[in-house]
Amino acid sequence: MEENQMIVVTHGGAGSKNEYADGTLVAAERGMDSLRVGESVLDSVCFAVEVLEDDSRYNAGVGSAKRSDGSIIMDAACMDSANQFGAIAGMEGFKNPIWVARKVCGEEFRLLAGDGAGQFAKEHGFEPLQADEHRPADSGTSDTVGAVAFDGEKFSASLSTGGTGKSHPGRIGDVPLIGCGLYAGPYGAVAATGHGESIAMNLTAYRSYEMLKRGTKPQIVLKTVLGWFDDAVDIGLILVSRKGHAGGSNRTMAWSVATGEK
Ligand code: GLY
């Protein structure tokens, strides 16, 4: 990819219907618009994920799945190749958790969980999720939304999820764990989706990034990584490096790309 080329890639989660790619395209274009006006590459993936959190067809934000006790618990994270990282885990009651994670990037801590994350969001004036706004995504949608971006110089990745529906209260998946659900470094960015425990136990995002760093093309990395997982395990990935981009899943997965020039 040329230094003057910019790209944002988004996904609607492993198991999201392919026809929901209209929403992932709007999200990718939103991220690209932000790059065009000079916002940071980290903000661009947060703007992209915000669009997906506001679209109830995906399991994040207003579309978050309910846990086994009926609670609505969200995880989100973002990272860039300048070593900025922020995440929230098990946070309840806010509409756009990705921006709370983004806010954490500027703090002396990297991950906030549970009531403390909610308190932080409240202190910083984030918009609560009203009960009448919550519309859990349909059963065809299973997982995390995400974005990766390249602004011609730096890379970034972001994820947001309502988690696995019916999971144990307090269960946290791969999303807020650095190197598991997402990773960004000077050689590329990766955002995963699917079964959180399997993604975490494989250090999926970091090991994918290491392949990008060795110069492996994103399409080959994608194929290799999908091969790590048993067919019964939901897994999807989007990646970008200077050699291009890729996206795919062993399930249906809405995903989209927006490109631009600097
Ligand atoms: N991949 C999201 C989760 O398992 O929580």
Side-chain angles (χ1 to χ4, degrees):
M1 202 145 26
E2 304 295 326
E3 287 297 305
N4 66 346
Q5 281 212 308
M6 304 188 294
I7 182 165
V8 179
V9 186
T10 54
H11 72 66
S16 58
K17 293 179 180 165
N18 292 330
E19 59 262 36
Y20 292 172
D22 59 326
T24 52
L25 183 58
V26 172
E29 284 170 348
R30 176 71 188 92
M32 182 51 60
D33 286 346
S34 81
L35 289 179
R36 282 200 188 95
V37 299
E39 306 271 11
S40 72
V41 74
L42 186 56
D43 284 341
S44 74
V45 286
C46 296
F47 280 119
V49 158
E50 177 188 356
V51 169
L52 299 169
E53 288 179 338
D54 288 343
D55 187 331
S56 63
R57 294 177 297 175
Y58 311 106
N59 178 11
V62 301
S64 294
K66 279 191 177 171
R67 303 299 173 99
S68 60
D69 62 352
S71 60
I72 308 155
I73 304 291
M74 303 174 194
D75 309 328
C78 57
M79 180 174 190
D80 73 6
S81 54
N83 218 26
Q84 296 196 83
F85 178 86
I88 56 95
M91 188 179 77
E92 199 163 6
F94 290 86
K95 200 174 164 195
N96 293 115
I98 192 60
W99 287 111
V100 186
R102 174 69 183 90
K103 192 78 186 168
V104 169
C105 293
E107 303 293 337
E108 71 273 16
F109 40 80
R110 300 273 67 84
L111 168 61
L112 279 182
D115 290 346
Q119 186 187 324
F120 176 83
K122 206 170 166 188
E123 281 162 11
H124 289 280
F126 285 98
E127 200 181 335
L129 177 66
Q130 307 297 345
D132 62 352
E133 287 176 313
H134 180 234
R135 298 182 301 281
D138 66 39
S139 57
T141 296
S142 73
D143 207 60
T144 311
V145 302
V148 293
F150 177 56
D151 67 359
E153 189 187 340
K154 292 201 286 295
F155 293 92
S156 61
S158 63
L159 292 174
S160 181
T161 189
T164 302
K166 309 286 179 225
S167 62
H168 195 283
R171 176 262 182 196
I172 305 290
D174 58 296
V175 165
L177 305 179
I178 190 167
C180 295
L182 83 172
Y183 197 80
Y187 297 92
V190 182
T193 170
H195 183 248
E197 286 70 15
S198 304
I199 293 170
M201 294 309 288
N202 277 286
L203 286 178
T204 302
Y206 186 70
R207 288 172 62 211
S208 306
Y209 172 76
E210 283 282 290
M211 283 188 266
L212 295 176
K213 185 175 171 181
R214 288 196 293 272
T216 311
K217 288 186 177 157
Q219 273 296 349
I220 307 289
V221 176
L222 172 66
K223 200 166 168 236
T224 305
V225 173
L226 294 185
W228 294 345
F229 296 86
D230 191 88
D231 284 350
V233 172
D234 294 3
I235 177 71
L237 212 61
I238 50 175
L239 323 86
V240 63
S241 78
R242 284 186 171 77
K243 295 204 167 172
H245 71 275
S249 171
N250 61 359
R251 303 287 183 268
T252 59
M253 184 176 86
W255 70 283
S256 300
V257 183
T259 57
E261 289 197 0
K262 269 184 122 172

